[in-house]
Amino acid sequence: MTQPRPLARSLAPLPDESLPGFFLRLACRLDTSPSELVVRTGLVNRAHLAVLPMPLLISLSGDQRHNLAKMIKATDAEVDAMLLDSYSDRYPPAAASGRNGLANFQQRWLFLHATRYCPQCLAGRDTAVEQAFGGPWKNSWRLPPVFACLEHRRFLEHVCPECKSLVLLTTTRSSAGHLPRWNRDGLHPAQCRAFLEGECGRRLDQEDSTAQPLSTEYSQFQRFLLDLLDRNGPQSIDVLGHPASPGHYFTDLRTTCHLLRASWPNSRYLLDDQKLTEFLDGDSSEDTATLSKSKFVRTISDMPQMASRPQAALLMAADRLLRPDDHGDFADHLRTLLHDNERRPSKVDWTRAFLEARPKCSEGFLQSVSSVVQTYAKTNKARNLKEPILTTRFCPEHIPQFLENDWYQKYFAHMDGIATVHLRRTAALRLFQTAAGGPIQKAADRMGPFLTNSGAISRIADSPKCVHRWARTRPDPLEFESAIRSLAAELDSRDDLIDYERRRKALAAWCIAPETWATICSRMVNPQYGGGWNPDFTDRKRNIASVMLWTLMTQGEHVFAPTPIANQQDPETQRKWEVSVAAFWARQRHSVRRPTDNQLMALLEEYAAYLTPIIDRTGSAPTETSPWG
C-alpha cells in the first residue's frame, strides 16, 4: 500500500494551539473540511469515520504522533503540545486512561465536549497568517483551572453571544462525538458552528461589550495556576503544611471544589462571590453550564462549570482552604461541612464519592480527611472504610492497647470531665483506625484477642460512645480528634516505634514460671524490701503478677491479658481471681498501693526490662531465665 504523502501546504502550529483548532485553521487555508484532513493525515482510514474522537484530543499513540507530524510538516514536539496529555505530569485529569483511552472519572475535569475562549486571542496577532486564518483555539482553554486570559485581562467566554450555544459543542455526548459541522468546508475557524434554527455563523473573534474585566486578585490567582501547569514551573507547593506536587495540588483543588458544592448551603460562609452563590442557590442540575449529564455520574457537584467567573470563585475559595500551614483548620471546616448534614459523614455524597474514587491527594489533605471521615463507623456500614485513607509510617502493630502513658500525658491528660480509661482506650482504637482503616470494631478485634468476659467487652465497646458524647459537650468539640491528629503526626515522624503486637503474640500463652516466681518471692522477703508481714505466694498472686508483667511489656490493659494460670481453675475460682486482678490494677491506677504492691511492681519492672529486648529481638519469651540467675 502506498504511504500517504505529506500535505503540499500546511501551517505552523501556534503556541498552545489545540489539535481541533489546528485542523480548523488548516482546513480554512486548504479550502477543505476538517474531516477530510483527518483522513488525509492518517488519524482515521475511512471517510465515514472522519471525525475527531474525543480521546484524540487527549492523546495519540507514538506512531500516530510521528505520522501526523510528518503529514503536516511539524515536529513531534509541536504535535505533542497540541494534545491535552502534554499537561498530564502536572494535571492528572489530562492523562490518557480508561478503556481505549475513553473519558473516565478523572476526565470529568476536562472540557472535552466544548471549550472556553478569548475573542481577542481568536482574532489573532498582527501577522499575515493569523490575520487570514485567525488565532489559536488554545489547548489550555479546555482545562477548568484556566478561566482567564492574562494577555487581554478578561475572563474567558464559553457561549456564542448570538445564539447562546456552548462553543464547539460536540453533536453527541459519546466518546466518538465530533466537533460541529466537522464535514463542512468554507467556514472560518472563529465562526460559531452551532445549528439550531439554521446555522449561526457568528464570528466569535469579534469583541463583545459584555466582557467581564479581570481584577488583580483573579489575575494573580490565574498566574499562580498557570505557573503550576507549566512543565517548567514550581516542582512543589505547600498544601496544608506539607509539600505537594502540582498534580496532588490540582487533585486537592478539585476535591475541595466538590466538597464546597456538595455541602451547599453549609459552605456558604466560605464563599464570598455573589455570582457563585447565585449559581449554587439555583438548581444546578438544570444549569446548561454544567457539561456532563451522564447517567453514570453520581453527582454533578464534581463537574466544573463552563462559566468562568463562578468557577474561578469556587477555585479561589478551595485554594484558600488548602493553603494555610495547619491542616487541622481544614479538618475543622471539613467536619463542620459534613456533620451539619442530617446524614452521618459516611452517607454524605461527597464522602461516598471520595471513598470510592480514592483520589491521589497530597499528604496534608489526606491527614485532614482521614481524621474526619475514617472514624467511628459500625461494622455493617463501613464497606468504604476497609482501607486507610492515609498511608502512615506507623502501623497497627505499633499501637498499644491502652495508649502509652507518656502519649496520654502529652496529648490527653488535660482533658477533664471523662474517665481516663475511656480516653486511653478510644485513643488507641482511633490510632489503629488511622493506620489500618475499617471500623472501631475491627481495631478492637485485632487489639483484644484474649477477651472472653462479655462484661469487659461491653465496657470497652462503650468507651468510644462515651468519648463521643463527652466531646459534644466540650467548649471545643473537636479537641479530642485534634489531639489524635497531633499524636498520629508525631508517631509518623518517629524512627523508634515499638512493635507491641509482636510482644502481645509472644506473650499470648505466657506466664511467670513457678521457679521464677519462687525467686521473685524470695526477693520480696529480702531485708532490703522490708518484712514483718505474712506473704501470699500462691498461684493467685502469681496470676496477678503475670497479668501486671504483661501490661508493663505490652502497655495494655489488664482485661486484655491472657491468664493461662487462672484458666486451669474452676469457674468460681476464676471469678474470684479476676476480681483480685481488677483490685490490684485499680490500686496501681489510683496510686493507693500497699507496701507489698510496691515491692512486687519494682521486681516486675526489673523483669520486664530484661524480657522486652529478648522479645523484640527474637519474637518469643523465655520461661526459664530471669534477670536474677
Side-chain angles (χ1 to χ4, degrees):
M1 182 176 178
T2 305
Q3 190 73 16
R5 291 182 299 173
L7 298 175
R9 292 179 296 165
S10 185
L11 288 172
L14 297 174
D16 194 26
E17 185 165 25
S18 66
L19 185 58
F22 174 79
F23 277 125
L24 290 176
R25 288 198 314 120
L26 184 56
C28 183
R29 182 185 185 189
L30 300 181
D31 196 22
T32 187
S33 67
S35 61
E36 175 67 19
L37 289 178
V38 171
V39 175
R40 290 175 61 186
T41 54
L43 288 183
V44 297
N45 55 17
R46 285 176 290 178
H48 73 279
L49 294 179
V51 298
L52 189 64
M54 292 304 103
L56 298 188
L57 273 68
I58 301 173
S59 179
L60 296 174
S61 68
D63 289 343
Q64 285 177 314
R65 292 176 192 235
H66 181 71
N67 184 62
L68 178 61
K70 180 180 177 180
M71 296 300 294
I72 65 174
K73 300 179 180 180
T75 66
D76 288 5
E78 287 176 322
V79 171
D80 289 344
M82 290 193 288
L83 301 170
L84 285 169
D85 68 354
S86 61
Y87 293 99
S88 60
D89 289 344
R90 289 174 169 263
Y91 189 70
S97 58
R99 181 175 60 87
N100 297 325
L102 301 183
N104 63 3
F105 160 78
Q106 273 282 64
Q107 291 161 6
R108 293 180 199 167
W109 265 59
L110 292 176
F111 294 136
L112 295 178
H113 297 285
T115 185
R116 293 171 177 162
Y117 69 98
C118 169
Q120 291 164 275
C121 288
L122 289 181
R125 298 177 182 273
D126 191 18
T127 66
V129 171
E130 292 191 44
Q131 287 297 309
F133 309 115
W137 285 95
K138 293 187 177 181
N139 212 22
S140 58
W141 290 343
R142 292 184 177 269
L143 306 180
V146 179
F147 54 81
C149 175
L150 296 184
E151 179 181 357
H152 300 113
R153 295 193 59 83
R154 59 176 296 157
F155 284 98
L156 297 178
E157 306 294 336
H158 67 287
V159 296
C160 170
E162 184 74 24
C163 66
K164 307 303 179 184
S165 298
L166 292 173
V167 171
L168 293 188
L169 180 66
T170 58
T171 56
T172 172
R173 302 293 184 181
S174 74
S175 64
H178 55 81
L179 296 172
R181 315 277 83 77
W182 197 239
N183 296 315
R184 280 284 308 276
D185 56 16
L187 293 178
H188 189 276
Q191 275 187 279
C192 175
R193 306 171 82 87
F195 192 93
L196 300 176
E197 296 178 357
E199 197 167 272
C200 176
R202 162 70 184 260
R203 288 284 292 264
L204 300 175
D205 53 358
Q206 297 173 359
E207 186 59 42
D208 184 4
S209 60
T210 62
Q212 301 179 56
L214 195 66
S215 68
T216 301
E217 182 181 29
Y218 281 109
S219 177
Q220 292 174 346
F221 182 50
Q222 181 66 96
R223 171 50 58 196
F224 163 75
L225 295 178
L226 289 173
D227 287 344
L228 288 182
L229 289 169
D230 187 341
R231 64 180 60 185
N232 297 317
Q235 295 302 308
S236 68
I237 176 179
D238 284 343
V239 175
L240 297 172
H242 295 263
S245 67
H248 284 158
Y249 167 79
F250 281 114
T251 301
D252 293 351
L253 195 68
R254 169 192 179 165
T255 309
T256 306
C257 287
H258 184 192
L259 169 68
L260 293 173
R261 292 189 66 182
S263 60
W264 186 261
N266 294 336
S267 57
R268 181 185 291 273
Y269 76 99
L270 295 168
L271 307 176
D272 57 7
D273 186 271
Q274 182 178 353
K275 286 186 177 293
L276 175 60
T277 55
E278 289 175 356
F279 172 83
L280 295 177
D281 276 332
D283 183 5
S284 57
S285 65
E286 300 296 330
D287 194 277
T288 57
T290 299
L291 217 44
S292 176
K293 309 291 188 201
S294 171
K295 65 181 180 181
F296 301 107
V297 177
R298 176 186 294 277
T299 171
I300 65 167
S301 297
D302 187 34
M303 292 296 168
Q305 302 163 49
M306 289 295 295
S308 297
R309 178 60 186 271
Q311 178 68 17
L314 189 66
L315 290 168
M316 187 175 290
D319 178 76
R320 290 193 188 114
L321 289 176
L322 294 173
R323 303 287 292 286
D325 292 336
D326 185 5
H327 65 81
D329 291 342
F330 181 83
D332 294 345
H333 288 302
L334 179 62
R335 189 176 288 104
T336 298
L337 297 178
L338 297 185
H339 284 251
D340 281 353
N341 194 290
E342 294 179 355
R343 296 170 292 176
R344 67 178 183 277
S346 63
K347 298 296 287 184
V348 174
D349 288 340
W350 181 87
T351 309
R352 294 184 66 82
F354 178 85
L355 292 172
E356 290 183 2
R358 296 292 175 126
K360 295 181 179 179
C361 298
S362 69
E363 184 77 9
F365 190 92
L366 291 177
Q367 283 195 17
S368 299
V369 172
S370 64
S371 66
V372 177
V373 174
Q374 190 168 295
T375 180
Y376 311 127
K378 295 180 180 179
T379 304
N380 62 344
K381 299 295 184 182
R383 65 183 180 89
N384 288 324
L385 297 174
K386 292 180 180 178
E387 299 297 329
I389 293 173
L390 175 69
T391 301
T392 58
R393 292 179 61 192
F394 70 91
C395 302
E397 55 264 28
H398 299 130
I399 309 302
Q401 292 166 323
F402 198 53
L403 201 69
E404 281 193 15
N405 188 58
D406 290 344
W407 301 352
Y408 171 77
Q409 292 297 329
K410 183 175 181 179
Y411 292 102
F412 302 96
H414 65 282
M415 299 180 186
D416 55 11
I418 189 171
T420 298
V421 66
H422 293 316
L423 287 177
R424 294 182 72 165
R425 286 173 180 169
T426 306
L429 294 173
R430 285 290 293 111
L431 288 172
F432 181 99
Q433 272 192 307
T434 300
I440 284 283
Q441 187 59 51
K442 176 183 175 181
D445 290 343
R446 179 166 172 178
M447 298 178 73
F450 308 111
L451 281 178
T452 57
N453 186 310
S454 59
I457 294 174
S458 177
R459 289 196 301 275
I460 291 172
D462 280 342
S463 287
K465 299 176 185 177
C466 293
V467 171
H468 303 164
R469 289 192 294 267
W470 161 81
R472 287 195 292 268
T473 67
R474 300 287 288 172
D476 178 9
L478 309 178
E479 180 182 23
F480 177 76
E481 288 296 331
S482 297
I484 292 292
R485 285 200 306 272
S486 299
L487 176 52
E490 178 185 333
L491 296 182
D492 227 25
S493 66
R494 292 177 58 170
D495 297 321
D496 59 344
L497 297 171
I498 296 171
D499 190 338
Y500 287 104
E501 188 169 71
R502 182 182 180 92
R503 294 182 183 179
R504 291 194 292 267
K505 289 180 178 178
L507 298 171
W510 186 91
C511 63
I512 299 175
E515 299 80 4
T516 304
W517 178 240
T519 302
I520 292 175
C521 293
S522 68
R523 296 180 67 81
M524 287 182 65
V525 297
N526 191 295
Q528 65 174 310
Y529 290 109
W533 48 276
N534 186 24
D536 175 9
F537 295 151
T538 64
D539 277 349
R540 182 188 72 86
K541 199 60 171 273
R542 180 163 71 100
N543 180 70
I544 294 174
S546 297
V547 171
M548 292 302 109
L549 184 60
W550 183 91
T551 64
L552 288 173
M553 289 189 286
T554 66
Q555 288 293 303
E557 192 177 353
H558 70 289
V559 295
F560 291 107
T563 54
I565 303 173
N567 293 344
Q568 299 175 15
Q569 312 304 314
D570 61 83
E572 181 62 21
T573 300
Q574 289 184 33
R575 187 190 66 78
K576 292 179 179 180
W577 284 17
E578 184 179 316
V579 173
S580 298
V581 170
F584 193 97
W585 170 267
R587 294 200 296 273
Q588 306 308 306
R589 298 256 57 84
H590 298 292
S591 300
V592 289
R593 300 175 182 174
R594 301 168 181 172
T596 54
D597 294 345
N598 292 331
Q599 295 169 21
L600 178 59
M601 289 305 298
L603 289 166
L604 293 179
E605 288 170 359
E606 189 176 349
Y607 197 4
Y610 167 78
L611 280 179
T612 49
I614 298 175
I615 295 174
D616 292 343
R617 184 175 65 254
T618 67
S620 60
T623 57
E624 303 300 330
T625 61
S626 72
W628 308 291

